[in-house]
Amino acid sequence: MSNASQSPLPPLPASDRPGAAARLRDALLAASFTADGLLELLGAPAYAALARSETVPALRATRGDTPLELLVRLFLLQQPVPHARVAEVLPVDACLESGWLARAGGDELAATVDVRPYGGPGGEDWFIVSDLGCAVGGAGGIGRREEGVVLGVGGASMTLAGITVRRPVAAALDLGTGSGIQALHAAQHATRVVATDLNPRALHITALTLALSGTASADLREGSLFEPVRGDETYDLIVSNPPFVISPGARLTYRDGGMGGDDLCRTLVQQAGDRLNEGGFAQFLANWQHVEGEDWQDRLRSWVPRGCDAWIVQREVQDVNQYAELWLRDAGDHQGDAAEYQARYDAWLDEFEARKVKAVGFGWITLRRTSAAVPSLTVEEWPHPVEQPLGDTIRAHFDRLDHLRDHDDAALLEGRFRLAAEIVQEQVGLPGAEDPEHVVLRQNRGMRRATRVDTVGAGFAGVCDGTMSAGRILDAIAQLIGEDPVLLRDRTPAQIRLLVEQGFLEPVR
């Protein structure tokens, strides 16, 4: 990865003046410059348009003269505002001295950074700081990128925050912190948070995000991947939204890993195992190559470090043309010289052709450190809608795998199970038919899975309320359908294991 310190970007507010940040925070809250306040002011359509990098609806909605409208124009829409009007809403002298505001000619002031209100999971009012033009809509739509720019909260950041397992821990590590959103979340449930980034500008902005959000500071360290991690330091939680884009070169620090192909993501995953405490989680977003003549699932299985359970979910696949176009647009290259755009496009396709890459997958990787003799490893494709946040769902997945690993079939049948919440049953068949062709169980929460079961599986799941053992339920079903209970006990555990693994049934401890 290349160092971003050479970027000709504007100066940032001072990060060593927490008092100025605290005063600014108080003023923002007093004016209802919060996630809820924005939604109420702008309305859902204009609020949604901001996420698409479209500012015209928000500009139209903030033509008045209230404090909240002024702050939206100043910090989100980057409009200069009269000095006298700002002085009625913000501590102007402190903001000018510390660098949050700058004179814009005449008697007007302008913001030096984007400040985006962000609602925390417990109703907290947080503020995410990023470079100008990079908060609205995250990546995309702000023109050509500069090396070293620090983005705000985009879809990927929110996805990682949503899938992260949240529990009280002693130490958490945020690799590639960017604007600091993952460190901000981690600080709510970790005693100590270390946040790293190759880009020193990102570390500065993370400090601003934490200060403006009223959160205790993190241990900020500069460096690539695990380089800033000292000695034998280990963690209970590691999270990373790394620069995972598979590109020719490392033009943009915020997205390009600078290693060949998907080597950065592979290296990150492989090195995480040695930095996890027993039972600790490491969770990443990643891209991976689909190479001709190779099973993509086998490729990912080879990444998993020894001593770790893993759950890898592929959420999306793009052919190489779609992928190149997506990230060329992200960088604003489509807005520049046509010949230069074509040359960059060719370079991406040359890179893929040389590596025999036919498509690129995107998804989530979760590792958990385990002492089990045979770790569990699940690699699957799930492009369907899910219900965020998924942190509890992911944690429960590994808990259920522990139960299945610790119970052979005989012990499984001695155990009791409960049907998970909000499971519905669908019967599929021809109208008027006496019996359905098949039965489908469907989740309305979490991963929102659907699985086909036979009549025994459907009947078993429907009876599971935690009061009777699995074996007794099967004996009762055998009597109803006239089947040998021994044979039914022999053939059903595999189906029970699948229902438990996928979250339709929960073991009663």
Side-chain angles (χ1 to χ4, degrees):
M1 297 187 222
S2 62
N3 194 299
S5 60
Q6 306 302 316
S7 301
L9 293 167
L12 294 169
S15 61
D16 58 352
R17 299 184 186 178
R23 291 181 64 190
L24 175 57
R25 171 181 171 80
D26 289 343
L28 297 178
L29 293 176
S32 297
F33 187 65
T34 63
D36 289 342
L38 283 185
L39 181 59
E40 183 176 351
L41 169 68
L42 302 178
Y47 193 78
L50 277 180
R52 302 191 301 270
S53 306
E54 297 292 348
T55 58
V56 171
L59 285 167
R60 292 174 61 85
T62 55
R63 290 178 291 190
D65 199 37
T66 66
L68 180 55
E69 288 170 306
L70 178 143
L71 293 175
V72 172
R73 291 198 301 272
L74 185 66
F75 284 114
L76 274 183
L77 303 176
Q78 282 83 64
Q79 303 294 306
V81 177
H83 183 290
R85 187 69 186 95
V86 177
E88 298 174 4
V89 181
L90 299 178
V92 168
D93 292 341
C95 288
L96 283 168
E97 182 181 356
S98 56
W100 290 96
L101 298 176
R103 301 188 186 278
D107 62 348
E108 292 187 317
L109 300 177
T112 59
V113 287
D114 265 318
V115 175
R116 172 177 170 175
Y118 180 90
E124 303 90 347
D125 288 315
W126 293 339
F127 300 96
I128 310 301
V129 180
S130 62
D131 273 311
L132 288 173
C134 295
V136 173
I142 65 167
R144 296 174 68 81
R145 297 289 192 204
E146 293 185 65
E147 172 69 2
V149 72
V150 179
L151 301 187
V153 178
S157 300
M158 296 182 72
T159 293
L160 179 59
I163 68 172
T164 300
V165 174
R166 304 292 175 194
R167 56 179 182 158
V169 295
L173 173 64
D174 175 17
L175 282 178
T177 188
S179 60
I181 179 60
Q182 310 305 330
L184 184 56
H185 275 280
Q188 311 310 305
H189 60 98
T191 303
R192 181 171 63 93
V193 177
V194 175
T196 73
D197 206 289
L198 179 65
N199 184 357
R201 189 176 182 87
L203 296 176
H204 190 131
I205 283 182
T206 291
L208 298 175
T209 289
L210 294 172
L212 197 57
S213 297
T215 297
S217 62
D219 181 355
L220 305 179
R221 304 178 188 175
E222 183 179 344
S224 177
L225 298 180
F226 287 96
E227 288 175 2
V229 178
R230 300 164 186 157
D232 58 355
E233 282 183 342
T234 55
Y235 298 87
D236 306 296
L237 175 67
I238 300 172
V239 293
S240 183
N241 176 19
F244 54 68
V245 176
I246 300 171
S247 61
R251 185 161 61 106
L252 299 174
T253 305
Y254 75 87
R255 69 164 203 196
D256 300 326
M259 297 185 183
D262 52 16
D263 283 355
L264 182 136
C265 291
R266 175 185 56 80
T267 300
L268 181 63
V269 173
Q270 289 179 336
Q271 293 181 354
D274 291 337
R275 293 297 180 177
L276 280 177
N277 293 324
E278 180 70 17
F281 286 90
Q283 298 185 268
F284 316 104
L285 302 185
N287 273 173
W288 44 78
Q289 298 173 150
H290 285 230
V291 179
E292 292 181 16
E294 177 185 85
D295 186 323
W296 68 270
Q297 293 184 328
D298 289 342
R299 182 181 193 86
L300 289 172
R301 290 187 184 99
S302 73
W303 292 9
V304 177
R306 296 181 62 182
C308 287
D309 295 323
W311 184 16
I312 302 174
V313 182
Q314 179 167 273
R315 295 287 291 155
E316 185 179 0
V317 180
Q318 291 183 315
D319 66 49
V320 293
N321 298 323
Q322 292 174 309
Y323 188 80
E325 291 162 13
L326 169 68
W327 293 108
L328 287 168
R329 287 182 174 275
D330 168 86
D333 291 320
H334 63 300
Q335 299 173 346
D337 179 72
E340 184 179 352
Y341 174 79
Q342 183 174 344
R344 291 194 187 280
Y345 201 149
D346 268 332
W348 283 67
L349 297 187
D350 286 344
E351 177 82 2
F352 288 134
E353 184 176 344
R355 295 180 177 276
K356 298 183 178 180
V357 175
K358 58 184 179 179
V360 177
F362 166 81
W364 320 323
I365 297 176
T366 300
L367 306 177
R368 185 187 62 168
R369 190 74 186 175
T370 181
S371 58
V374 182
S376 65
L377 175 52
T378 302
V379 183
E380 62 175 322
E381 185 167 18
W382 190 253
H384 311 294
V386 299
E387 182 189 49
Q388 286 274 34
L390 279 168
D392 288 345
T393 298
I394 290 174
R395 183 178 180 181
H397 167 87
F398 287 95
D399 289 344
R400 293 193 306 272
L401 290 181
D402 282 344
H403 185 88
L404 294 175
R405 185 161 48 200
D406 295 341
H407 291 73
D408 60 18
D409 286 355
L412 194 73
L413 294 179
E414 289 298 316
R416 294 172 293 135
F417 300 90
R418 181 183 295 111
L419 187 67
E422 297 195 37
I423 303 293
V424 297
Q425 177 179 304
E426 301 172 358
Q427 297 189 172
V428 181
L430 294 174
E434 184 175 346
D435 296 312
E437 293 179 10
H438 59 265
V439 177
V440 173
L441 299 182
R442 188 177 302 277
Q443 301 168 346
N444 286 323
R445 302 291 301 273
M447 292 293 288
R448 293 181 173 169
R449 295 186 185 276
T451 190
R452 183 184 297 190
V453 293
D454 60 21
T455 54
V456 171
F460 178 86
V463 175
C464 283
D465 61 2
T467 60
M468 294 175 59
S469 71
R472 288 185 60 194
I473 293 174
L474 290 180
D475 291 344
I477 292 175
Q479 186 174 2
L480 286 173
I481 64 177
E483 184 170 339
D484 185 334
V486 175
L487 295 177
L488 191 61
R489 279 175 172 255
D490 186 57
R491 69 177 176 86
T492 306
Q495 189 169 192
I496 296 174
R497 287 183 180 277
L498 179 63
L499 292 175
V500 172
E501 180 180 344
Q502 294 191 343
F504 291 93
L505 294 178
E506 300 171 348
V508 176
R509 311 295 182 181

